[in-house]
Amino acid sequence: MTLAQQAASRPDGRSAPPGVVLALAAAGGRRTSSHERAALERHARDIAGLLGCEAGGWHEPGRKYADPVYFVPSDTLDTNEAAGLGIRGPDDLFGGVVPHPFVAGKTLSHPLVSATAARPPGWSVELERAAGDAVLDGFSAFSREDARAAGLRLLEKKGAVRVKPALASGGRGQSVARDAAGLQSAVDALASGELAVHGVVLEEDLAQVRTYSVGTVQVRDLRASYFGTQQLTRDTRGNEVYGGSDIVVLRGGFDALAAADAPADVRRGIEQARRFDAAVQRCYPGFFASRRNYDVAAGRNPRGELRSGVLEQSWRFGGATGAELAALARLQAEPALARVRAVCVEVFGPSPEPPAGAIVHFRGEDPTAGLLTKYTVIEPDAHAS
């Protein structure tokens, strides 16, 4: 039984027993680094605070928990895994549930190169038409032959191709091909097993890129939406990776964003994210999510054309989740407040102490990432009143 169902089932209309919030290591989940586990545990505790629930630590398979249970998974769940845990809708988890594993990945954003191209079971050819120009020009491929064909078509049309393995995260593992030889090298470097199962994205490469974060987040009856920008930083290996987000969070869903006071380029990104979200819901019945985050990139392609579109979706906890939850907590604590600004930061290597009042999600040595600091600061918003 969900938290909302238990509350509704009380004959006196009063709140249900508080229940428990559990962090969940999703089956096949890849987020097992120290800092990601620490962040997930912190997020689960924060959500327990929002719900007035017990924070129960990590879910232990086979253990019996008193209803209601609310999950915070490390990854997007598929319908079978969700059903086995008793997850029936967005009130049961912080994250999302998809009918097929590929729906949670990068390949969802682009069509296949031909009607005969390799594809995973459940692939919808309708999404391309439903999403329209909400995404950049590109293709998804699940074989080397299709990847080469897609890349050559884009080289001829756009002049450069960004090759993005589906399992790569935070900007890592990507490459740019500017001619046929470079494309061949990038395709040959793809792992065969990973390509057949998870696929690869080939899309137009952009310069002078600005990446926007657009999304909605819901914890039981507390719901907000947001828009903002991402920043990049260098990790301890010198790679350019995600370095944080600066977001404005408003009460309500995507409709609230449509009416938000935002610059024209941000409004375009908001509309593209809304259309893509609606297209997914239409083309993949069974999908639901309480956290919907979309990365929208705007920049110029090698021909100088201004382009904008959804890069990928995230229906699980992510880099901006610390900021999302901190904003929800502020909105919950101040019912008259309509919007708030939240800034989350990730710094690799030695760094000063986080600013006073910061919510620290991780500060220490990660065996994989090295020295890392992750924190969130709630800032005054000029349009909060």
Side-chain angles (χ1 to χ4, degrees):
M1 183 180 292
T2 69
L3 290 166
Q5 288 170 335
Q6 279 218 357
S9 69
R10 286 285 294 263
D12 59 6
R14 289 159 53 197
S15 296
V20 62
V21 175
L22 300 175
L24 173 69
R30 303 183 304 278
R31 290 162 185 83
T32 56
S33 69
S34 295
H35 73 88
E36 287 165 333
R37 287 181 63 86
L40 185 59
E41 290 178 49
R42 174 61 191 254
H43 297 331
R45 292 195 299 271
D46 290 342
I47 290 171
L50 289 171
L51 292 174
C53 292
E54 173 193 355
W58 288 88
H59 173 258
E60 299 176 22
R63 178 179 171 182
K64 297 296 184 181
Y65 294 93
D67 283 339
V69 178
Y70 185 98
F71 292 96
V72 186
S74 59
D75 278 273
T76 308
L77 305 179
D78 65 39
T79 50
N80 291 332
E81 187 177 6
L85 293 163
I87 295 172
R88 299 289 183 266
D91 282 341
D92 297 336
L93 84 166
F94 186 83
V97 173
V98 293
H100 309 283
F102 74 84
V103 178
K106 290 182 176 67
T107 55
L108 186 69
S109 302
H110 295 295
L112 305 174
V113 71
S114 71
T116 59
R119 69 198 65 194
W123 183 270
S124 172
V125 297
E126 298 301 317
L127 185 64
E128 175 186 5
R129 180 164 50 252
D133 66 354
V135 300
L136 298 173
D137 284 349
F139 297 98
S140 292
F142 294 86
S143 74
R144 293 189 197 282
E145 180 182 0
D146 293 339
R148 281 191 288 268
L152 289 172
R153 188 179 301 183
L154 284 170
L155 279 174
E156 180 179 358
K157 183 180 178 181
K158 297 293 183 178
V161 180
R162 181 165 291 271
V163 181
K164 299 163 37 175
L167 295 184
S169 63
R172 299 176 179 86
Q174 301 182 13
S175 61
V176 177
R178 304 190 184 281
D179 53 34
L183 173 66
Q184 184 69 51
S185 177
V187 171
D188 288 344
L190 298 171
S192 298
E194 181 179 317
L195 176 61
V197 175
H198 301 286
V200 63
V201 167
L202 302 100
E203 68 185 11
E204 57 181 320
D205 184 49
L206 301 182
Q208 304 172 34
V209 177
R210 191 176 181 87
T211 304
Y212 303 105
S213 290
V214 181
T216 65
V217 59
Q218 174 185 349
V219 175
R220 197 181 175 187
D221 57 355
L222 184 60
R223 189 176 186 185
S225 55
Y226 60 87
F227 64 87
T229 56
Q230 295 183 14
Q231 65 181 16
L232 296 175
T233 190
R234 296 282 179 180
D235 65 14
T236 52
R237 296 181 177 86
N239 300 311
E240 197 172 59
V241 297
Y242 174 79
S245 298
D246 185 338
I247 59 175
V248 174
V249 186
L250 303 85
R251 293 184 187 275
F254 273 131
D255 290 344
L257 289 185
D261 178 17
D265 54 343
V266 176
R267 290 200 303 272
R268 175 175 174 79
I270 291 171
E271 178 57 28
Q272 289 176 319
R274 294 178 70 206
R275 277 192 286 136
F276 185 79
D277 181 84
V280 173
Q281 293 185 78
R282 185 159 62 250
C283 296
Y284 289 98
F287 158 72
F288 61 84
S290 60
R291 195 243 179 190
R292 305 180 184 209
N293 173 271
Y294 299 97
D295 291 349
V296 182
R300 295 191 178 276
N301 64 22
R303 299 187 177 184
E305 301 164 330
L306 184 62
R307 302 285 296 145
S308 175
V310 174
L311 289 179
E312 61 180 302
Q313 70 287 347
S314 174
W315 303 316
R316 53 163 177 80
F317 94 99
T321 295
E324 296 162 1
L325 295 179
L328 279 180
R330 179 63 63 86
L331 292 173
Q332 184 185 60
E334 300 183 36
L337 192 62
R339 53 192 280 169
V340 67
R341 179 183 173 208
V343 181
C344 57
V345 179
E346 299 191 10
V347 183
F348 292 83
S351 64
E353 287 290 326
I359 303 167
V360 180
H361 308 295
F362 183 86
R363 182 168 173 81
E365 181 87 25
D366 182 273
T368 302
L371 284 174
L372 175 62
T373 300
K374 301 169 70 170
Y375 65 88
T376 294
V377 176
I378 298 293
E379 300 278 2
D381 180 59
H383 302 278
S385 59

